[in-house]
Amino acid sequence: MMCDVVGRKPVLVVNMILGLLKSSSLLAVNCLGLSLYWYFGLSVAASALPVAISASLWVTDRTSVSERVRFFALLAGVMDVELIITPLLSSVAKPRTCLAIAVFCSAAAVVAATCCFVESLPPGRR
């Protein structure tokens, strides 16, 4: 896996950046009339590095066996929160507002992955 070669944190950061580019391209499609193929191309690129696998490996590396259930539950909740918030938000807000919030959340994820995550795989194990 790519995260075994270069480390967990770089793969997580790249995946978050791809997510930011993906949501930004969808906003550009809506606001600027950019081709929808940009969104689909970035979706394919983001799918090549699945964030769930990298995040799960990071949790496995950083936690003890007794802590893993709690952290995996937190990870699942954070990843699934968009399935609850998106329909609620789209029922009361305009599409551009929803897309702008998605871009903001993606940017926050990039900042969090860059500043808050530490590398969990020592260089000797790569």
Side-chain angles (χ1 to χ4, degrees), residues 35-77:
S35 173
L36 193 59
Y37 291 113
W38 283 99
Y39 173 74
F40 289 122
L42 289 166
S43 295
V44 169
S47 299
L49 295 170
V51 70
I53 293 173
S54 301
S56 296
L57 289 173
W58 187 86
V59 168
T60 303
D61 290 343
R62 298 290 298 174
T63 59
S64 66
V65 177
S66 62
E67 298 174 317
R68 286 190 186 144
V69 172
R70 185 178 65 219
F71 278 97
F72 280 125
L74 178 65
L75 183 63

Side-chain angles (χ1 to χ4, degrees), residues 70-94:
R70 185 178 65 219
F71 278 97
F72 280 125
L74 178 65
L75 183 63
V78 168
M79 288 184 173
D80 292 341
V81 75
E82 72 174 313
L83 300 174
I84 298 166
I85 292 178
T86 303
L88 291 174
L89 185 62
S90 64
S91 67
V92 296
K94 294 182 179 184

